[in-house]
Amino acid sequence: MTIRILPAVGDPDAARTVSALLSQLPDAEPAPAVADSTALVDALAAAVQGAGAAAPAAAVEALPEVVLVHERIGPTPALELIREVALRFPAVGVVLITADAGPALFSAAMDAGARGIVGLPLGYDELAARVQAAAQWSAGVRVHLGGNPDAVPGPSGTLVTVTGAKGGVGTTVTAVHLALAARAAGRSVALVDLDLQSGDVASYLDVQFRRSVVDLAGISDISVRVLQDAVHDHHTGLGLLLAPEEGERGEEVDDRAARQIIGALRSRYEVVLVDCGSQMQSANAAAVELADVALLVTTPDVVAVRAAKRQVRLWDRLQIRKAEETTTVVNRLTRNTEIQPSLVAKATGTQMARTHVPAAFKELQPCVDAGRMQDLDGRSTVKQALWALAGELGLVDAPAARQGRGSHRARPSLTGRKRKAITPGAAPGSGTGPGPAPGAVSGSGAGAGSRFGARRGSAAAAGGPGPFDPAGPYEEG
């Protein structure tokens, strides 16, 4: 969310300082400072009139989210100015800048309608925290005043958790490629490793790091600057918040810390992917509870499916998440597997992702050994399936979901062997004919049941086949 800020500062030196700090805030759009109270009220009134009196919703949206009022503003005293702005423009969050941050002035400012106080001399962390808090409050008020109906107060980033039924089922690979797919679609993405004792996100992305999620655990108010120091900026564009190298330190991250950390990330990133590992602790249990989408990864074998069933029952007993609100992803699926996704759905009682990931470890092994999962070939069936899964979850748009795909004839089947399209009336293996009819059902086609509505990133939604089509006609080459 872009935060529009209008400072009202009479002193030129203070105005320059405020403008310099505001320019450093992420997602901030500061306007030039106004010099007195009259100019401030006139600017707000002009914004409302410019939107048109007959459109109250548009008038609300035309106002800035935050107004900063310096204590030396004139001719109207600062507290009276705050009271006037709060009464005439109730959707604007007002923050007072003052050298006296004592309890008496704080109480008077709150009574006047201010949403916070920033002490002088100005500090980046305090200013950023007060501005973001006022902006979130303003967004909530605008929803009730009939402004933008899509605006959601508080954290707005999509939170997706990836949990393994047991160790070794492909949880981290799934989380990493979902994050890479969302980033390739142009979204800001944070990838969090909450497998606190044995997290491997850093190993899969070849990262050397000093800070970890533990460094945020003891901080009661996570500011933008603190978050920037803890998050590793990967060259792929991902923001990485990694598990500690010393596994025993994972106990320092409790559910309260996890909720606060995730809330801070969601306020800054459009997508937050959390690798929860396979062992439930208070931190990753809180993440699963908060998640917009909770993925459970399993392989199609008896041991893993039993573990998935235990995990789902554990979440239900602890009132973390209901089975029907969980989406299960089947990894390493082959055509000859006796346990098919329909049986997994029946055993666990969860929703099933329409996209299944084929068994093709040979494609992954060079990247796994090199610790560079981001270099996986775009022709890999595993990558195609995981990026199609990102499209199914609504994390990517159609162009990103189709990135790196080859032609239908070049795509391998679940068994890894070449498949050729067969058309009615054409000789098998001839390779001629128009190919599958439009609207043909594919193994990862769109359908009902997604928590995010229609699949924006699926190939089926774009009118083409999925990355592989186990339900369609094929011929082994």
Side-chain angles (χ1 to χ4, degrees):
M1 179 185 74
T2 300
I3 303 174
R4 294 167 296 174
I5 307 169
L6 178 59
V9 184
D11 181 53
D13 293 335
R16 283 192 293 269
T17 302
V18 170
S19 298
L21 288 175
L22 291 178
S23 65
Q24 301 176 33
L25 297 181
D27 302 324
E29 189 179 291
V34 295
D36 55 52
S37 59
T38 303
L40 173 63
V41 175
D42 289 346
L44 295 175
V48 172
Q49 292 175 359
V60 169
E61 286 303 311
L63 291 168
E65 283 77 19
V66 180
V67 166
L68 300 178
V69 175
H70 193 272
E71 62 178 354
R72 295 183 182 178
I73 196 72
T76 306
L79 292 181
E80 292 185 17
L81 177 61
I82 292 173
R83 185 175 290 106
E84 181 179 359
V85 171
L87 289 174
R88 292 184 59 181
F89 312 100
V92 176
V94 185
V95 177
L96 175 64
I97 301 175
T98 177
D100 178 16
L105 181 61
F106 182 86
S107 178
M110 295 302 105
D111 290 341
R115 300 308 308 170
I117 288 182
V118 179
L120 291 172
L122 288 175
Y124 175 87
D125 290 343
E126 184 181 9
L127 179 63
R130 299 287 80 79
V131 166
Q132 288 182 345
Q136 290 181 359
W137 174 86
S138 175
V141 171
R142 289 168 193 234
V143 172
H144 297 291
L145 290 180
N148 182 6
D150 297 327
V152 179
S156 57
T158 301
L159 175 61
V160 179
T161 58
V162 185
T163 307
K166 57 185 289 294
V169 296
T171 308
T172 302
V173 171
T174 300
V176 167
H177 273 286
L178 290 178
L180 290 171
R183 181 63 192 131
R187 301 192 176 188
S188 58
V189 182
L191 177 58
V192 186
D193 196 346
L194 279 185
D195 188 0
L196 297 172
Q197 291 187 351
S198 55
D200 282 321
V201 169
S203 299
Y204 277 97
L205 292 174
D206 191 23
V207 173
Q208 302 294 327
F209 64 99
R210 295 183 300 107
R211 302 288 186 184
S212 72
V213 66
V214 173
D215 295 302
L216 298 177
I219 301 176
S220 57
D221 187 10
I222 301 176
S223 66
V224 175
R225 182 65 59 82
V226 170
L227 195 63
Q228 287 176 338
D229 290 341
V231 173
H232 177 86
D233 293 325
H234 196 253
H235 67 83
T236 59
L238 298 179
L240 304 179
L241 187 56
L242 302 168
E245 288 187 353
E246 304 85 5
E248 66 274 11
R249 295 197 62 195
E251 297 179 356
E252 300 176 27
V253 185
D254 57 12
D255 58 337
R256 181 202 61 80
R259 292 175 187 275
Q260 188 172 14
I261 292 168
I262 290 172
L265 291 169
R266 293 180 73 183
S267 66
R268 185 177 177 196
Y269 292 91
E270 295 177 82
V271 178
V272 180
L273 263 296
V274 181
D275 179 0
C276 293
S278 58
Q279 298 295 322
M280 275 294 101
Q281 300 168 337
S282 58
N284 49 22
V288 172
E289 183 180 1
L290 294 172
D292 298 305
V293 178
L295 295 181
L296 181 61
V297 182
T298 185
T299 49
D301 57 83
V302 173
V303 175
V305 173
R306 285 177 176 173
K309 187 176 181 179
R310 287 197 304 268
Q311 189 77 273
V312 170
R313 288 181 173 178
L314 173 66
W315 290 351
D316 187 59
R317 289 196 305 272
L318 298 180
Q319 297 183 352
I320 296 172
R321 200 171 195 88
K322 297 179 180 179
E324 57 269 21
E325 297 175 352
T326 303
T327 302
T328 299
V329 179
V330 178
N331 188 23
R332 300 176 196 151
L333 184 67
T334 65
R335 188 175 299 277
N336 298 324
T337 301
E338 292 186 7
I339 299 179
Q340 291 295 313
S342 58
L343 183 57
V344 177
K346 184 177 181 180
T348 60
T350 61
Q351 301 181 45
M352 289 301 301
R354 295 184 296 273
T355 304
H356 314 306
V357 185
F361 184 72
K362 287 184 179 180
E363 300 174 357
L364 293 172
Q365 188 167 6
C367 296
V368 171
D369 292 342
R372 296 184 60 83
M373 190 55 62
Q374 68 272 19
D375 293 340
L376 185 61
D377 194 326
R379 294 171 296 180
S380 164
T381 56
V382 174
K383 180 175 181 177
Q384 290 175 5
L386 290 174
W387 286 43
L389 176 62
E392 181 179 333
L393 300 177
L395 301 180
V396 302
D397 296 324
R402 297 176 63 86
Q403 179 175 343
R405 294 184 183 175
S407 65
H408 180 78
R409 293 183 59 184
R411 287 194 299 270
S413 67
L414 289 172
T415 61
R417 289 175 287 182
K418 184 181 294 185
R419 294 165 41 203
K420 300 177 182 177
I422 295 180
T423 58
S430 64
T432 61
V441 178
S442 68
S444 58
S450 172
R451 292 172 62 104
F452 286 86
R455 290 175 51 192
R456 296 179 295 164
S458 67
F468 44 82
D469 188 6
Y474 71 99
E475 180 188 19
E476 302 297 345

